[in-house]
Amino acid sequence: MKRVLLIFSLLFLLGIAVPAAAQSSLAVDVLQVQLLPEYDQPSMLVIYTIQLSIDQTLPAEVSVRIPARVGDPMAVTVREADSVLRYREYTRTVEGEWSEITFLADFPFIQIEYYDTALSQKDQPRSYDFRWLSDFDINNLVVSVIEPVNTTGMNILPNLGNVSESVDGLTIYNSNLGSWSAGETFDLTLSYTKNNTKLSVGGVSGSFLDALPPWAWALIGVGMLVLLGGGVIFVRNQSDNGRSTYRQKKQRKGSRSTTRSASRGKSKAFCHQCGSPAVAGDKFCRECGSKLRL
């Protein structure tokens, strides 16, 4: 009986250990963490790019932790052979402050993205605390921060050291932190000053009017006055033209009536056939054509 219980206990422990071993044995060559504050939304865009080792057997189950407060990730994708990122189905399990995103990777390049509203445009200076908890060993942990436009006093701890420029002219701070073990955490704090809500790409958050300088407001005001004045003048001209046309038509109608009346007043003879008045000198009726009896 004791031997049976011992066997069952070993099998139970082995069942617990297998999932952990499967995840910790995941061979990750490079994990790049990109932090993009106020990039295309008024929050923090976080991108994990994972490159599995060439020795990794595929497909492989991958679990990545993200903060539970951010909800579902914006994208869980795998870069296929044609270099196109395609979405993969995933499960989300919440454990305390973390949610675990689990999916099947059938190609070695993985990208996960989410937005974190813990970075707020209402703060001054603006700040953000980032933490990464690794579920697997990493040969190279690369961390990058892309500085937002119109920013001053950028401060990053720990200091990432290397500074470069992106293709769209934004400043990039980055560093290769070397190998990282499963269960280890990486913490980073950044802060900066920014006096408007302009985003790095895609315009500005909310209404674009938030970031307009005073001179632009003045031009908009002048333009609106010009348009309003032009509209009033156009409406008045149309109204005056309408009244003038009506007056001319009325005058022409009155003139015809007067001429007709005058003609009738000068008539001294009438058609014996239809009774229409005849004008002096007429030999035939203007209405029915009968020869007048003068």
Side-chain angles (χ1 to χ4, degrees), residues 110-280:
I110 302 162
Q111 187 161 303
I112 301 171
E113 305 176 23
Y114 66 85
Y115 287 98
D116 191 351
T117 56
L119 175 70
S120 173
Q121 291 186 320
K122 297 179 180 179
D123 296 335
Q124 196 65 271
R126 294 166 190 173
S127 61
Y128 182 76
D129 295 322
F130 172 78
R131 166 167 287 191
W132 160 264
L133 174 59
S134 180
D135 288 299
F136 36 75
D137 295 337
I138 304 167
N139 293 334
N140 295 278
L141 176 62
V142 179
V143 179
S144 302
V145 175
I146 297 183
E147 182 176 291
V149 295
N150 302 333
T151 295
T152 59
M154 187 65 149
N155 186 35
I156 304 173
L157 293 175
N159 187 353
L160 297 181
N162 299 322
V163 181
S164 59
E165 187 174 292
S166 67
V167 293
D168 46 6
L170 299 175
T171 301
I172 303 176
Y173 304 87
N174 64 88
S175 181
N176 188 334
L177 303 179
S179 60
W180 219 257
S181 300
E184 281 191 284
T185 59
F186 168 74
D187 293 279
L188 180 145
T189 299
L190 63 85
S191 62
Y192 58 91
T193 301
K194 195 172 188 298
N195 295 320
N196 56 51
T197 58
K198 182 177 177 60
L199 301 176
S200 296
V201 298
V204 296
S205 63
S207 171
F208 75 96
L209 299 177
D210 295 340
L212 289 179
W215 61 264
W217 280 104
L219 288 178
I220 291 174
V222 171
M224 292 181 67
L225 288 175
V226 170
L227 289 174
L228 181 61
V232 170
I233 293 173
F234 176 79
V235 171
R236 285 183 177 177
N237 288 339
Q238 291 295 102
S239 178
D240 291 342
N241 290 338
R243 285 195 294 268
S244 177
T245 302
Y246 172 75
R247 194 179 299 113
Q248 292 172 0
K249 288 181 178 179
K250 188 174 182 181
Q251 289 174 350
R252 286 196 296 269
K253 184 177 180 181
S255 177
R256 286 196 298 269
S257 298
T258 302
T259 302
R260 193 177 296 113
S261 299
S263 299
R264 287 177 180 175
K266 294 179 181 178
S267 298
K268 295 183 180 180
F270 296 89
C271 177
H272 67 280
Q273 187 69 29
C274 66
S276 298
V279 179

